[in-house]
Amino acid sequence: MLYLVRMDVTLPADLSPEDTADLLAREKAYSQDLQRDGRWKEIWRVVGEYANYSIFDVADNDELHSLLGGLPLFPHMRIHVTPLATHPSHI
Amino acid sequence: MLYLVRMDVTLPADLSPEDTADLLAREKAYSQDLQRDGRWKEIWRVVGEYANYSIFDVADNDELHSLLGGLPLFPHMRIHVTPLATHPSHI
Amino acid sequence: MLYLVRMDVTLPADLSPEDTADLLAREKAYSQDLQRDGRWKEIWRVVGEYANYSIFDVADNDELHSLLGGLPLFPHMRIHVTPLATHPSHI
Amino acid sequence: MLYLVRMDVTLPADLSPEDTADLLAREKAYSQDLQRDGRWKEIWRVVGEYANYSIFDVADNDELHSLLGGLPLFPHMRIHVTPLATHPSHI
Amino acid sequence: MLYLVRMDVTLPADLSPEDTADLLAREKAYSQDLQRDGRWKEIWRVVGEYANYSIFDVADNDELHSLLGGLPLFPHMRIHVTPLATHPSHI
Amino acid sequence: MLYLVRMDVTLPADLSPEDTADLLAREKAYSQDLQRDGRWKEIWRVVGEYANYSIFDVADNDELHSLLGGLPLFPHMRIHVTPLATHPSHI
Amino acid sequence: MLYLVRMDVTLPADLSPEDTADLLAREKAYSQDLQRDGRWKEIWRVVGEYANYSIFDVADNDELHSLLGGLPLFPHMRIHVTPLATHPSHI
Amino acid sequence: MLYLVRMDVTLPADLSPEDTADLLAREKAYSQDLQRDGRWKEIWRVVGEYANYSIFDVADNDELHSLLGGLPLFPHMRIHVTPLATHPSHI
Amino acid sequence: MLYLVRMDVTLPADLSPEDTADLLAREKAYSQDLQRDGRWKEIWRVVGEYANYSIFDVADNDELHSLLGGLPLFPHMRIHVTPLATHPSHI
Amino acid sequence: MLYLVRMDVTLPADLSPEDTADLLAREKAYSQDLQRDGRWKEIWRVVGEYANYSIFDVADNDELHSLLGGLPLFPHMRIHVTPLATHPSHI
């Protein structure tokens, strides 16, 4: 089941360069694990913004919330989820 | 080059059932032709709304506008385009 | 799987009283069938507005869109869907 | 009498892990007491957000404000209340 | 129990002067009956707008929706309801 | 002359409990003095929010700004003023 | 007492050229009478829009609403009023 | 003196193809005359929308309003004007 | 050439009383110099808000930006500029 | 390929004058390098705001994001990108 997710990141101003690097490395690993197992199906950068649009393919609402809530950057992001359905013109 | 496009449809209240059917058939054929040639890469229905989110893969801004402006439903849609870039965490 | 759905109705100004009565009767029957089979779990009127908040309990995004798209009032409503997950404080 | 309530939480950035754990434990206990006595009738997580939608069943506006104002997280939440009425299609 | 209600009126462009006069006379009578029995406690014009802010004093949410839904102008108004509670500084 | 005023309070996160108590006591005294002399005609709590709707009855715009600008909480509030006129249906 | 007023005009699409000319002539005469007696103190066109910002100098809220409600274009305008006070830096 | 201008077009639904063609031809001629004399310095289509962003280079606010108000499409457009100044980093 | 300017002030929470007094004194002197030379033509307080609406009369966009950018409070204000033109009903 | 980009700057309140000067010098050099090579085609100050509108001429979305993401002020800006296409009235 598919969802479009937009994530906007705002890092705390007082995060040290080391903590930032560590946080972003953990975020990247977390994202790539989910991309590899197929649940984080697509991820694109929004041009000019510290934000992404992503497609998730998960079993249900609870699984999606669990994946998003576990993001290392979760406390520093504004997230909006749009549930998607099959389009009748889809080939 | 990828773009996320949201289209919200409002059909005119006085369109006859025949004209509506004809318009939607032309829209579907137009969309499916572009899906087949790979430029209309994805199309999803927004749950509960007469709207879709789509991914287009085109050469440039002009080509995207030309494809969208040619939609049979173009005069009856509100369209918003978000340019997408490669995300550094993308595998 | 649960979703919160808000529906705002705007009837066409030129709908005859007979057509209005017929449309609303079909909407009511449609809604009550879905309430009886448990998929339209709750429906409340928003005080002062021609609008409702509802809870749907369905298998997936596609089923929800199919139920909402089939509403007799669908062409006359603005609908917004919020996917819900289990809350950790829920008893 | 029913109300739909949305609560969005923003924890202070400088709250220690201990204070956070204590605050959340008190919030959970407070919520579960009200769920058990039937006044906090439903609580759902908004997928992807640190937010909930809840249904309260209380005697009047004053009782609702008193319950919400007593939430341990109250100073850290943005809350919006929508009063609900019986829907004529409700079975 | 008190509620603040804002009502914004948009009359249909094609309503005849006679129908308009009749509609407004019925609205006025309806409003004044409720003012006399104490449930429509206050009504003020918003300066420069075809709109009012009102205070209603009713038993519960259902009664308020029933009163508002019965307004002759109800199909031509956008209404927003804010539930009010006792303020701790109120003397 | 009447005005509807909405005030939303956001206390500074680092205000000590003593300073908070002192500030709120001064705000309450200030409000009650104006309620007693009839210029702060009504005050209601917005259910679920650290906010109020109030009715002021003052001589003119300058007097209203002077009263609001003197509120001990003024630096910590977002205030919006709506001028009110007599409604033609008012009895 | 001063107010800033913004007026946005939307003429009905089916108004005949004669009715439009007549309506605008009456609006102009009405405005110029009030400018001459000093109550419509200033009027400026918003560049690029069928809208104006105006300053009114009237005795009170009721007088302002009465003047605005009497505008020949009143049924075709969206109006927003901002009450103004003396600024402490004003010379 | 430069201004950024955004224009969003909504053609009346009942405009005949002949009137539409005539209107658009007059709009195009009007625009190209101003482009040739240097006052309509730039015009770009907003991708996916019946809208443009333009740069005007005119003597003052009055000249800009006069040019925009004279557009054949003016009654069918929503226009927003942003005044521009020299940027200190401009080479 | 005239512009309507709205300025909303938010002073930094940690500014000392002395620095605040000095800053506001410099702002007042700056404003009054411009009022005396006729370029800051009008200034009004927005009732209930730490904000003003002002009218500037300057030679061009660059001069207006230069005046506004030089305000001692500039780093602490949100400013919005609306260019004004002569209104055809102006007497 | 052209894009309209709006950038709104908010410098951190606790940045020292030296760090601010250094940051702005690097931003200016970065911008001027891109102006000289033709990719940052235009830059204008928004009158009254710490913001600019710019036109970029780049090969594709990825190049634009790379240029914007490299701005020394990027962490302190809100950026919005609008893709532009050739306008049919362009001469």
Side-chain angles (χ1 to χ4, degrees):
Chain A
M1 201 164 57
L2 301 178
Y3 299 83
L4 176 68
V5 180
R6 178 173 172 136
M7 310 180 201
D8 287 82
V9 183
T10 308
L11 293 180
D14 57 355
L15 205 64
S16 72
E18 293 72 28
D19 288 350
T20 301
D22 173 63
L23 179 61
L24 297 184
R26 286 188 292 122
E27 179 79 8
K28 188 172 193 168
Y30 185 97
S31 168
Q32 295 190 334
D33 283 351
L34 290 172
Q35 289 180 62
R36 281 192 202 95
D37 80 12
R39 289 183 291 176
W40 195 326
K41 206 175 138 71
E42 302 278 2
I43 180 169
W44 304 285
R45 177 62 82 211
V46 178
V47 174
E49 305 189 39
Y50 194 175
N52 71 74
Y53 271 111
S54 291
I55 303 291
F56 282 82
D57 184 357
V58 295
D60 57 24
N61 290 345
D62 278 322
E63 185 179 9
L64 181 58
H65 186 71
S66 164
L67 294 186
L68 295 173
L71 287 162
L73 280 175
F74 183 77
H76 311 303
M77 295 202 293
R78 188 164 39 89
I79 294 182
H80 186 77
V81 171
T82 305
L84 301 174
T86 307
H87 194 283
S89 296
H90 186 254
I91 56 173
Chain B
M1 202 165 55
L2 301 178
Y3 299 84
L4 177 69
V5 180
R6 179 174 172 135
M7 309 180 201
D8 287 82
V9 183
T10 307
L11 292 179
D14 58 356
L15 204 66
S16 73
E18 293 73 27
D19 287 351
T20 302
D22 172 63
L23 179 61
L24 298 184
R26 285 188 292 123
E27 177 79 8
K28 188 173 193 167
Y30 185 97
S31 168
Q32 295 190 334
D33 282 353
L34 290 172
Q35 289 180 63
R36 281 191 203 96
D37 79 12
R39 289 183 290 175
W40 195 326
K41 205 174 139 72
E42 301 280 0
I43 180 168
W44 304 284
R45 177 63 82 212
V46 178
V47 174
E49 305 190 39
Y50 195 174
N52 71 73
Y53 271 111
S54 291
I55 302 291
F56 282 82
D57 185 356
V58 294
D60 57 24
N61 289 345
D62 278 322
E63 184 179 10
L64 180 59
H65 186 71
S66 164
L67 293 186
L68 295 174
L71 287 162
L73 280 175
F74 183 77
H76 311 301
M77 296 202 292
R78 189 162 41 87
I79 295 182
H80 186 76
V81 171
T82 305
L84 301 174
T86 306
H87 194 284
S89 295
H90 186 255
I91 57 172
Chain C
M1 200 163 58
L2 301 178
Y3 299 84
L4 176 69
V5 180
R6 178 173 173 136
M7 310 181 202
D8 286 82
V9 183
T10 308
L11 293 180
D14 58 357
L15 205 64
S16 73
E18 294 72 27
D19 288 350
T20 301
D22 172 63
L23 179 61
L24 298 185
R26 286 188 292 122
E27 178 79 9
K28 188 172 192 168
Y30 184 97
S31 168
Q32 295 190 334
D33 283 353
L34 290 173
Q35 289 180 64
R36 281 191 203 96
D37 80 12
R39 289 183 291 176
W40 195 326
K41 205 175 139 72
E42 301 279 2
I43 180 169
W44 304 285
R45 177 62 83 213
V46 178
V47 174
E49 306 190 39
Y50 195 175
N52 71 73
Y53 271 111
S54 291
I55 303 291
F56 282 82
D57 184 357
V58 295
D60 57 24
N61 290 344
D62 279 322
E63 184 179 10
L64 180 59
H65 186 71
S66 163
L67 294 186
L68 295 174
L71 287 162
L73 280 175
F74 183 76
H76 311 302
M77 295 202 293
R78 188 163 41 88
I79 294 182
H80 186 76
V81 171
T82 305
L84 302 173
T86 307
H87 194 283
S89 295
H90 186 255
I91 57 173
Chain D
M1 202 164 58
L2 301 177
Y3 299 83
L4 176 69
V5 180
R6 178 173 173 137
M7 309 181 201
D8 287 82
V9 183
T10 307
L11 293 180
D14 58 355
L15 206 63
S16 72
E18 294 71 29
D19 288 349
T20 301
D22 173 64
L23 179 61
L24 297 184
R26 286 187 292 122
E27 178 79 8
K28 188 173 194 168
Y30 185 98
S31 168
Q32 294 190 334
D33 283 352
L34 290 172
Q35 289 180 62
R36 281 192 202 95
D37 80 12
R39 289 183 291 176
W40 195 325
K41 207 176 138 71
E42 302 279 2
I43 179 168
W44 304 285
R45 177 62 82 211
V46 178
V47 174
E49 306 189 38
Y50 194 175
N52 72 73
Y53 271 111
S54 291
I55 302 291
F56 282 82
D57 184 358
V58 294
D60 57 23
N61 290 344
D62 278 323
E63 185 180 9
L64 181 58
H65 186 71
S66 164
L67 294 186
L68 295 174
L71 287 163
L73 280 175
F74 183 77
H76 312 302
M77 295 202 292
R78 189 164 39 89
I79 294 182
H80 186 77
V81 171
T82 304
L84 301 173
T86 308
H87 194 282
S89 295
H90 186 255
I91 57 173
Chain E
M1 200 164 58
L2 301 178
Y3 299 84
L4 176 69
V5 180
R6 179 174 171 135
M7 310 181 201
D8 287 82
V9 184
T10 308
L11 293 179
D14 59 356
L15 205 64
S16 73
E18 294 72 27
D19 288 350
T20 301
D22 172 64
L23 179 61
L24 297 185
R26 286 188 290 122
E27 178 78 9
K28 188 173 193 168
Y30 184 97
S31 168
Q32 294 190 335
D33 282 352
L34 291 172
Q35 288 180 63
R36 280 190 203 97
D37 80 12
R39 289 183 290 175
W40 195 326
K41 206 174 138 73
E42 300 280 2
I43 180 169
W44 304 285
R45 177 63 82 212
V46 178
V47 173
E49 306 190 39
Y50 194 175
N52 71 73
Y53 271 110
S54 291
I55 302 291
F56 282 81
D57 184 357
V58 295
D60 57 24
N61 290 344
D62 278 322
E63 184 179 10
L64 180 59
H65 186 72
S66 164
L67 293 186
L68 295 174
L71 287 162
L73 280 175
F74 183 77
H76 311 301
M77 295 201 293
R78 188 163 41 86
I79 294 182
H80 186 76
V81 171
T82 304
L84 302 174
T86 307
H87 194 282
S89 295
H90 186 254
I91 57 173
Chain F
M1 203 164 57
L2 301 177
Y3 299 83
L4 176 69
V5 180
R6 179 174 172 136
M7 310 181 202
D8 287 82
V9 184
T10 307
L11 293 180
D14 58 355
L15 205 65
S16 73
E18 293 72 29
D19 288 349
T20 302
D22 173 64
L23 179 61
L24 297 184
R26 287 188 291 122
E27 178 79 9
K28 188 173 192 167
Y30 185 97
S31 167
Q32 295 190 334
D33 283 351
L34 290 172
Q35 290 181 63
R36 281 191 202 96
D37 79 12
R39 289 183 291 176
W40 195 327
K41 205 176 139 71
E42 302 279 1
I43 179 169
W44 304 285
R45 177 62 82 212
V46 178
V47 174
E49 306 189 39
Y50 195 174
N52 71 73
Y53 272 111
S54 290
I55 303 291
F56 283 81
D57 185 357
V58 295
D60 57 24
N61 291 343
D62 278 323
E63 184 179 10
L64 181 59
H65 186 72
S66 164
L67 294 186
L68 295 174
L71 287 162
L73 280 175
F74 183 76
H76 311 302
M77 295 202 293
R78 189 163 39 87
I79 294 183
H80 186 76
V81 171
T82 305
L84 301 174
T86 307
H87 194 283
S89 295
H90 186 255
I91 57 173
Chain G
M1 201 165 58
L2 301 178
Y3 299 84
L4 177 69
V5 180
R6 178 173 173 137
M7 311 180 201
D8 287 81
V9 184
T10 307
L11 293 180
D14 58 355
L15 204 66
S16 72
E18 293 73 27
D19 288 349
T20 302
D22 173 64
L23 179 61
L24 297 185
R26 286 187 292 123
E27 178 80 9
K28 188 172 193 168
Y30 185 98
S31 168
Q32 295 190 334
D33 282 352
L34 291 172
Q35 289 179 63
R36 280 191 203 98
D37 79 12
R39 289 183 290 174
W40 195 326
K41 206 175 139 71
E42 301 279 2
I43 179 168
W44 304 285
R45 177 63 82 211
V46 178
V47 174
E49 305 191 38
Y50 195 174
N52 71 73
Y53 271 111
S54 292
I55 302 292
F56 282 81
D57 184 357
V58 295
D60 57 23
N61 290 343
D62 278 322
E63 184 179 10
L64 180 58
H65 186 71
S66 164
L67 294 186
L68 294 174
L71 287 162
L73 280 175
F74 183 77
H76 311 302
M77 295 201 294
R78 189 162 42 87
I79 295 182
H80 186 76
V81 171
T82 304
L84 300 174
T86 307
H87 194 283
S89 295
H90 186 255
I91 57 172
Chain H
M1 202 165 56
L2 300 179
Y3 299 84
L4 176 70
V5 180
R6 178 174 172 135
M7 310 181 201
D8 287 81
V9 184
T10 307
L11 293 180
D14 58 356
L15 205 65
S16 73
E18 293 72 26
D19 288 351
T20 302
D22 173 63
L23 179 61
L24 298 185
R26 286 188 292 123
E27 178 79 9
K28 189 172 192 168
Y30 185 98
S31 167
Q32 294 190 334
D33 283 352
L34 290 172
Q35 289 180 63
R36 281 192 203 96
D37 79 11
R39 289 182 291 174
W40 195 326
K41 205 174 139 71
E42 301 279 1
I43 180 168
W44 305 284
R45 177 63 83 212
V46 178
V47 174
E49 306 190 38
Y50 195 174
N52 71 73
Y53 270 110
S54 291
I55 302 291
F56 282 81
D57 185 357
V58 295
D60 56 24
N61 290 344
D62 277 323
E63 184 179 10
L64 181 59
H65 186 71
S66 164
L67 294 186
L68 294 174
L71 286 162
L73 280 175
F74 183 77
H76 311 302
M77 295 201 294
R78 190 163 40 87
I79 295 183
H80 187 75
V81 171
T82 305
L84 301 174
T86 307
H87 194 283
S89 296
H90 185 255
I91 56 172
Chain I
M1 202 165 56
L2 301 178
Y3 299 84
L4 176 69
V5 180
R6 178 173 173 135
M7 310 180 201
D8 287 82
V9 184
T10 307
L11 294 180
D14 58 356
L15 205 64
S16 73
E18 294 72 27
D19 288 349
T20 301
D22 172 64
L23 179 61
L24 298 184
R26 286 188 291 123
E27 178 80 8
K28 188 172 192 167
Y30 185 98
S31 168
Q32 295 190 333
D33 283 351
L34 290 172
Q35 289 180 63
R36 281 193 201 94
D37 80 12
R39 289 183 291 176
W40 196 327
K41 205 176 139 71
E42 301 278 2
I43 179 169
W44 304 285
R45 176 62 82 212
V46 178
V47 173
E49 306 189 39
Y50 195 175
N52 71 74
Y53 271 110
S54 291
I55 303 291
F56 282 82
D57 185 356
V58 295
D60 57 24
N61 290 344
D62 278 323
E63 184 179 10
L64 180 59
H65 186 71
S66 164
L67 294 185
L68 295 174
L71 287 161
L73 280 175
F74 183 77
H76 311 302
M77 295 203 292
R78 188 164 40 89
I79 295 182
H80 186 76
V81 172
T82 304
L84 301 174
T86 307
H87 193 282
S89 295
H90 187 256
I91 57 173
Chain J
M1 201 164 56
L2 301 178
Y3 300 83
L4 176 69
V5 180
R6 178 173 173 136
M7 310 180 202
D8 287 82
V9 183
T10 308
L11 292 180
D14 58 356
L15 205 64
S16 73
E18 293 72 28
D19 288 350
T20 301
D22 172 64
L23 179 60
L24 297 184
R26 285 188 292 123
E27 178 79 8
K28 188 173 193 167
Y30 185 96
S31 168
Q32 295 190 333
D33 283 351
L34 290 172
Q35 289 180 62
R36 281 192 202 95
D37 80 12
R39 290 183 290 175
W40 195 326
K41 206 175 138 71
E42 301 278 2
I43 180 169
W44 303 285
R45 177 62 83 211
V46 178
V47 173
E49 305 190 39
Y50 195 175
N52 70 74
Y53 271 111
S54 291
I55 302 291
F56 282 81
D57 184 357
V58 295
D60 57 24
N61 290 345
D62 278 322
E63 184 180 10
L64 180 59
H65 186 71
S66 164
L67 293 186
L68 295 173
L71 288 161
L73 279 175
F74 183 76
H76 311 302
M77 295 202 292
R78 189 164 39 88
I79 295 182
H80 186 76
V81 172
T82 304
L84 301 174
T86 307
H87 193 283
S89 295
H90 186 255
I91 57 173

